[in-house]
Each structure stands twice: as structure tokens, then as C-alpha cells.
Amino acid sequence: MKTLKEVGFNAEKTVENGNKFLLGNGRLGYRGTLDEFGSSACVGLNVAGVYDGVKGKWRETINAFNPFYMLVTADGVPLDVRNGNVLRHAVELDISKALFIRDTEFSVNSRKVSLHCERFVNYADKTNLCSRAVITADGDVDLDVKVGVDTDVWELNGPHFKGVRTGADGHAVYASAVTQEAGRRIDVVCRYSQPINSFSGGFAHITAKLKKDEPFVLDRIAFVLLGGKAAEYGYEQAYGLHLSEWEKTWQRCRVLFGDERAQFALDYSVYHLAILAPDGDYSIAARGLSGQTYKGAVFWDTEIFMLPFFLNSLPDCAKRLIKYRIDTLPQAKQKAAHYGYGGAFYAWESQDGYDACSDFNVTDVFTHRPVRTYFKDKQIHISADVAYAVLEYYVHTGDRELMLSGGLETVLQCAEFARTYSYYNHVKNRYELLDVIGPDEYHERVNNNAYTNYIFHEITVRGVRLAKELSAPVSGELLSGLEEWAAKLYLPQPDGRGVIEQFDGYFALEDVSVAEVRSRLAHPNEYWGGSGGVATATRVIKQADVIMLFNLFPDLFTLDVQKANYDFYLPYTEHGSSLSHCAYALTACRIGRPDEAYKAFLDSAEIDLRGGGKQWAGEVYIGGTHPAASGGAWLTAVRGFGCKGEGNEI
Ligand code: BGC
């Protein structure tokens, strides 16, 4: 398998490379930064599913203290890649072994000193991460290695820790603290293979006399503990366990596909999904383990874009993802009740089931004021997405037990929510879903978004059918109410051209290109949607919307309809969300456009390899990895190219 390598140091790529070279084991994510870096370089050790909120700021996942801080000084010269005394430098991510490697040679007075470091986040022990540094020189030099558990963490809405304490014993440094909100204790420990000579201010020094061509090796075995004890192993043993887990994982997950470029892009996508495989009662955040962007919250990205990979390749994890939603049904019912509805309205940005989405989720770049957004209250399709995922899980696994212990209830409560949310149009004799936001977030508070209406219709019909099939003990009244409702729910039909209107009145919006709308921006980070965005009164959409329907329900629509909509909506799509390209790629496969599909596949699969992309929504930082795009790439390969469609006879 190819590895990812970057030669030379470019300070401007520090944040991007943090994402690109990310390591993870489902519980911990360690960004692809260098040993000598600190919080200003966005070093991050993100912890899945552990949230903290500081008064007046957004709640988010925590970044733990950094156990891998290390600054080597050789003959009084600090080996810091930013200092200019670099002879060669490269970083590498070997995705087959989930191993990060940095190799730097420094010039120190008249000597050459090289620093080779490897690190991995142990896939076999979710609390553990290890690093081995090998330092060599072409002459004798005095080494001073400053190591420690750096408590100056990179945080977006911190500080998340109080009561920070650091300490050391002969071979280890530790830092502990409790989170601000829940008082949850966290201990980060790092053991060294060399004795510590001194310790002060949270950092230890290890000194040595380095002999010409005799390597100095320092292993660092670190643990992030939220309870429990650290294991006792050394580097080799931990690495062996890690490798054997990855070997199994690749055997289960690898998909052979396409040319060299496409194969690597897909392998890289699979890697990014596998490093997020949850091992507990939490789910996957929209930016994975790359940091606190999007508050470490769980969106529909997980159910609609990532779940299929897990269902096929890592079914135990798929079950955890579904369980997470079943377990948070009470919170979803609470949210529905809060807005005055029945059933279950899932959090748009779920943190333990509670909605982390703020009523003001964007900050205006001109006024610096928060902008009222309606994602939380109006993006009701989230409940249908959750229900769809539960039903898909059942189709794949036949797990009756999970269906009867909450799965079916989840589906029916999501349907019930939509029923109570809907409005009966007496003139047209049908139910309508008014005042919603579809997948395209630029158009807020629209009526009868096609995606929303169809998906609720489908999950309702399928949910009722499943209840009957399983002879589940469900109220007959609930079932008949839902059946009746679904039969009368308005489903926007294709017009004479075969195009389904995205929402009522969409066709009447200004018919203008994405380029034209972009040219109207007065600030590059301006928000395109909401009440006064540049796209709001136009047909320009943020991401695939109607197209999503064809990917979820290909059999409901003829290929002619799918083609007509693909051709109609693609030119209006900004792809302002990483969820967009793969949606078009999948449909392109189905309608016999392999070349377009291939391009869109790469746009999705290579998103984190290429870097760049949108880093800001208004004044809010949204950078990080894009696991939904990785999931979408997998979907395109397997369910797009991998399935017989018009024009791709594979
Ligand atoms: C997209 C949403 C997505 C979220 C998290 C937004 O920009 O519009 O569809 O769920 O990002 O990835």
C-alpha cells in the first residue's frame, strides 16, 4: 500500500498537515504535528465523546494534554524545524500500519544531527499512544532532551480543565486535571525508556552524551486515562498489538479499486473511517478526531455517509453507532416536546443526545454579531436520517433483538415526530412539512423540501411494515395513525422535464450561476445562506439535496428522472459542504456517467489529501478532516462503481 509522504517543511501547512497526517484509534486522535510544536501549531490529542462546556462558550470535545512534547537540544542548539537549521525534512503517514514518521536532519555547528521519530495511536489499546525517537549525529554532541506532558492545549472554546497538576518520577511525567463542567478526571501519563535527570515547570530533561553514529533511542509510552490503569508494556509489545489489529482491519475493510490514484484515495478514505471506529457508547463526530471543530458533535454525516462502510466492514461498530441513537431517544423526545411536538426530534448536532447546535451558529463577518440560524429547530430531516439508518442496519444484519429493544421504537417515534410537525392542507387534501431546512442549508425555512418529505414517507411506511413483520408490541393506534398520515403526505413529483422542485417556490428563485453568486461576495468568508446571504434568493445550493434521494432510494425514481435532476441541479451546486461531491458521484455512476463520477469520487476521496477547502463559515473555524466525504468515497466505489449501472458494467 502506498504511503503518504511530504518532503520539506512549509510552516503554512502546519494546520492542514495536522489533519492530513492524523492518527487515531476510535477513542483518541493525534494530529500530524511535530514533537517540538505546541498549542499555537494546533497540536491536538482529541478525545471522542468526552465533552466540556465553559460558561458562555460552545460545548465541545476535549483535547487532552500532549504527552509527546519533545524539544531536543544538541550542543546548545534547539532542533526545531522552524529555526532554519534544517538540512532535510520529511513526514510520512504509513496508512497500512497507521504509523506517523518524521525524519529531520539539522545542522548543528559543524555537525549533522538527525531526528527520526515514529508514533502510533495504539489500535489495540484505546488509552495508549507510543512514540520512538532515534537521534544520531556524525560526531559527538551533548544532548538535552526536554520532554513532558504539555498542559498548554489547543482549544477552540476552552479552557476545559481545572486543578491541573503535573509531576514526575524517575521514568515518567504525568499531568492530571478535571473538566470544568462535569468534573471528570483525566490523567495523561508518559513513560520514558531513559531516566529523567531533572523536572521543573511540568517538563523533564533527559541528558546524554551522543557518540558519533551511535543512536540515542527514546521511547515514549503514553496513556490518556479517564479512569482505570495504564498497561505495562514497552514500545515493541504495544506496536505488535497495534499492527496485528490493523492487519485484521485492513483485511476486513480494504476495497480493491481503480487505478493507482483512485486506489490510494480510497485506501486513505478507509483509513480515515477506520481510525474513527468507536469502541464505546459514543458516535462519530463530523470532523472525526481531528479536533474540536463542529463541537465534536455527531451529525447526519454518520448515519447517511459513514454507516454503510461500518455495516459492511466493521459491523460491531455499526451496531454501536445505531445503539448511540437508540440510547439517546429520550433526549430526542425531549427536544420534540420542547418545540411542542410528539415523537422524537434528534439533535442536529448531538453531544450525548443533547443538541449542541446554537440558535446563532454563524457569526457575521461584517458586524461580528451572531446570526440567528435555524439548523437546530428546522433541519428536521435528522430524525428521518436516524430512522433510515436503523432500518438499513436491520436490512443488513437482521438483528431482531436490537429492533425489539429500541430500534423499532426509534423509527416509529421519528415518524411520529414528523406526523405531529406536519400541517394538513385542507384545500389540497394532503399533509405538508412546512418551515424546514433540507440538506441544502443555504435556504432556510422552506416548505415541502423534497428530500425531507420523501425520507419521512419512506421511514414511516417501512417502520410500520417492520412493526407488523416483527409482531412488535406497538400501539395499533400509533401504527394506523402513521399509515394514514404517510398515505396523505405530499411527495413533490417530477415536472415535465423530470425535475423535482427542491422546495415550494425554488424554481421561481433567481436563475444564476455559482460563479456569479461567488462574485457577489463582499468578503471571502461571508456566509452564503440564512436571511441575507448571497445564495438565499437564488437557485444556488450549498450541497446535493434532491440528488440525495436517489442515493437513498434509487428504486423510487426512474433513471430518466435521476438524469434530469442531476443535469439540472449540478450547475447550481456550490459544493460548499464536503457531503456534496460524493452524492453526485454516486448518482453519476447510476446514470452512466463514469467519467464525471470518477472526478467527483476523487473530489470526495482526496479532500483531506488536497487540503485547502472551506476553513471558515462566517467567523467560525470549521477546518479538520472530513470523514463523511471519506464515507461517501467508499459508497461511490462500492455502491456506485461496484454495482452494475447504466454505463459501468463492472
Ligand atoms: C453541512 C451539513 C453537515 C455539516 C457537518 C455542514 O456544512 O451543510 O450537511 O452535516 O456541515 O459536516
Side-chain angles (χ1 to χ4, degrees):
M1 212 180 289
K2 242 183 87 181
T3 71
L4 177 66
K5 191 164 180 173
E6 208 161 285
V7 177
F9 176 69
N10 177 352
E12 277 169 22
K13 283 193 165 180
T14 302
V15 177
E16 189 177 310
N17 282 354
N19 299 320
K20 197 167 158 180
F21 291 87
L22 181 74
L23 296 172
N25 66 4
R27 171 64 81 166
L28 304 174
Y30 195 93
R31 290 171 59 79
T33 47
L34 301 178
D35 310 71
E36 60 269 36
F37 289 179
S39 61
S40 62
C42 305
V43 172
L45 171 49
N46 191 241
V47 185
V50 180
Y51 298 98
D52 183 70
V54 175
K55 204 164 180 270
K57 294 186 184 178
W58 284 350
R59 209 165 168 259
E60 61 194 5
T61 42
I62 55 166
N63 280 341
F65 304 136
N66 171 25
F68 287 158
Y69 175 79
M70 179 177 78
L71 179 66
V72 180
T73 302
D75 278 347
V77 179
L79 306 188
D80 184 327
V81 79
R82 293 163 296 195
N83 284 355
N85 55 337
V86 172
L87 299 172
R88 62 180 165 79
H89 173 75
V91 285
E92 192 175 338
L93 178 65
D94 182 340
I95 56 169
S96 70
K97 302 187 176 81
L99 184 74
F100 174 85
I101 304 155
R102 77 82 64 94
D103 217 341
T104 316
E105 189 173 56
F106 296 88
S107 98
V108 172
N109 306 326
S110 58
R111 304 247 176 268
K112 284 182 185 158
V113 181
S114 74
L115 175 60
H116 177 96
C117 290
E118 301 193 348
R119 85 164 80 104
F120 63 92
V121 176
N122 197 339
Y123 211 55
D125 175 347
K126 305 302 178 194
T127 66
N128 175 235
L129 52 167
C130 301
S131 172
R132 168 170 284 177
V134 181
I135 306 167
T136 41
D138 64 356
D140 297 356
V141 291
D142 285 335
L143 281 188
D144 175 282
V145 186
K146 181 181 174 193
V147 286
V149 178
D150 190 356
T151 57
D152 177 22
V153 287
W154 170 53
E155 295 175 315
L156 298 184
N157 292 285
H160 291 299
F161 301 110
K162 59 185 178 192
V164 180
R165 286 189 305 126
T166 57
D169 61 33
H171 275 86
V173 169
Y174 64 84
S176 62
V178 292
T179 56
Q180 302 274 7
E181 202 180 29
R184 193 154 180 198
R185 180 169 172 154
I186 179 165
D187 288 279
V188 180
V189 185
C190 190
R191 290 194 207 118
Y192 306 98
S193 60
Q194 303 277 355
I196 290 168
N197 297 95
S198 65
F199 178 79
S200 72
F203 293 97
H205 288 264
I206 296 170
T207 51
K209 292 226 177 278
L210 189 60
K211 293 259 174 270
K212 180 175 188 282
D213 297 332
E214 274 180 27
F216 172 86
V217 180
L218 177 65
D219 291 341
R220 289 173 286 169
I221 316 293
F223 295 87
V224 176
L225 302 169
L226 296 148
K229 280 183 74 173
E232 287 298 331
Y233 34 59
Y235 188 89
E236 296 298 343
Q237 193 190 354
Y239 190 43
L241 295 169
H242 168 76
L243 281 187
S244 86
E245 274 309 301
W246 269 101
E247 217 173 278
K248 280 189 252 162
T249 303
W250 278 117
Q251 261 165 24
R252 287 197 201 116
C253 303
R254 190 159 193 231
V255 178
L256 295 180
F257 173 72
D259 59 26
E260 204 186 312
R261 177 174 177 187
Q263 179 67 61
F264 182 64
L266 184 60
D267 286 341
Y268 185 73
S269 301
V270 168
Y271 166 82
H272 269 284
L273 292 164
I275 64 171
L276 301 179
D279 81 318
D281 57 356
Y282 58 92
S283 184
I284 301 175
R287 290 289 182 265
L289 287 163
S290 61
Q292 296 160 318
T293 295
Y294 283 143
K295 309 162 192 140
V298 181
F299 292 63
W300 71 313
D301 305 34
T302 310
E303 281 73 24
I304 301 297
F305 294 83
M306 300 180 224
L307 180 73
F309 161 79
F310 289 101
L311 272 176
N312 281 271
S313 310
L314 300 169
D316 291 350
C317 296
K319 187 171 182 175
R320 284 186 200 120
L321 298 176
I322 296 300
K323 274 276 288 161
Y324 172 80
R325 292 303 194 174
I326 294 175
D327 292 346
T328 54
L329 181 62
Q331 290 88 314
K333 284 183 174 171
Q334 238 177 54
K335 178 175 167 186
H338 169 79
Y339 287 110
Y341 305 108
F345 184 6
Y346 274 87
W348 176 244
E349 300 182 7
S350 176
Q351 291 179 346
D352 302 325
Y354 296 102
D355 211 327
C357 189
S358 133
D359 286 341
F360 299 85
N361 229 30
V362 168
T363 306
D364 184 82
V365 288
F366 303 108
T367 61
H368 310 291
R369 289 198 186 114
V371 179
R372 177 69 165 102
T373 49
Y374 291 87
F375 311 134
K376 178 180 172 181
D377 13 7
K378 302 295 174 189
Q379 210 153 168
I380 63 166
H381 70 79
I382 180 64
S383 280
D385 304 324
V386 167
Y388 175 86
V390 175
L391 290 163
E392 283 292 287
Y393 171 81
Y394 180 63
V395 169
H396 273 73
T397 62
D399 186 347
R400 288 171 65 98
E401 206 186 308
L402 193 63
M403 289 307 109
L404 292 172
S405 53
L408 179 65
E409 163 85 352
T410 300
V411 175
L412 296 177
Q413 290 304 316
C414 288
E416 176 63 1
F417 161 65
R419 191 187 71 77
T420 61
Y421 189 94
S422 69
Y423 153 89
Y424 188 69
N425 182 328
H426 288 272
V427 179
K428 295 186 173 157
N429 189 26
R430 66 191 191 194
Y431 286 101
E432 302 186 352
L433 289 168
L434 306 182
D435 198 5
V436 304
I437 303 180
D440 158 35
E441 290 186 337
Y442 288 165
H443 295 92
E444 298 189 0
R445 313 195 69 168
V446 300
N447 296 336
N448 293 314
N449 166 254
Y451 174 84
T452 306
N453 288 24
Y454 273 94
I455 189 171
F456 270 118
H457 181 263
E458 278 305 299
I459 63 107
T460 305
V461 170
R462 292 181 188 191
V464 170
R465 200 189 303 142
L466 182 65
K468 291 181 180 168
E469 197 183 303
L470 297 176
S471 309
V474 179
S475 129
E477 209 182 318
L478 173 71
L479 295 186
S480 58
L482 289 174
E483 240 170 349
E484 228 170 84
W485 175 74
K488 284 199 168 173
L489 176 62
Y490 168 50
L491 298 175
Q493 294 303 308
D495 67 6
R497 300 163 296 177
V499 181
I500 298 170
E501 192 171 33
Q502 188 175 297
F503 52 79
D504 293 352
Y506 172 86
F507 289 148
L509 295 176
E510 188 189 6
D511 183 0
V512 66
S513 71
V514 175
E516 167 62 25
V517 166
R518 184 172 285 114
S519 75
R520 294 175 186 171
L521 289 173
H523 185 292
N525 298 339
E526 188 183 335
Y527 186 59
W528 289 41
S531 58
V534 283
T536 305
T538 78
R539 287 185 183 179
V540 166
I541 59 176
K542 179 177 180 184
Q543 65 205 87
D545 191 303
V546 171
I547 299 301
M548 283 301 300
L549 277 178
F550 310 140
N551 299 333
L552 300 193
F553 310 112
D555 300 335
L556 282 188
F557 305 90
T558 66
L559 281 180
D560 284 341
V561 164
Q562 298 188 37
K563 270 183 207 164
N565 284 277
Y566 176 93
D567 288 331
F568 180 85
Y569 283 108
L570 184 56
Y572 293 121
T573 309
E574 188 230 346
H575 301 298
S577 159
S578 59
L579 278 47
S580 194
H581 286 295
C582 57
Y584 281 94
L586 252 174
T587 296
C589 284
R590 221 174 303 108
I591 63 173
R593 309 268 179 87
D595 295 343
E596 290 172 38
Y598 177 77
K599 193 189 158 298
F601 162 81
L602 289 176
D603 287 339
S604 197
E606 292 183 344
I607 185 163
D608 294 322
L609 286 170
R610 294 180 194 170
K614 263 197 186 174
Q615 303 288 315
W616 300 94
E619 282 187 347
V620 177
Y621 175 67
I622 56 168
T625 55
H626 300 84
S630 307
W634 183 92
L635 269 168
T636 308
V638 175
R639 295 216 184 140
F641 285 106
C643 294
K644 199 164 168 258
E646 240 192 32
N648 53 302
E649 312 278 327
I650 305 179

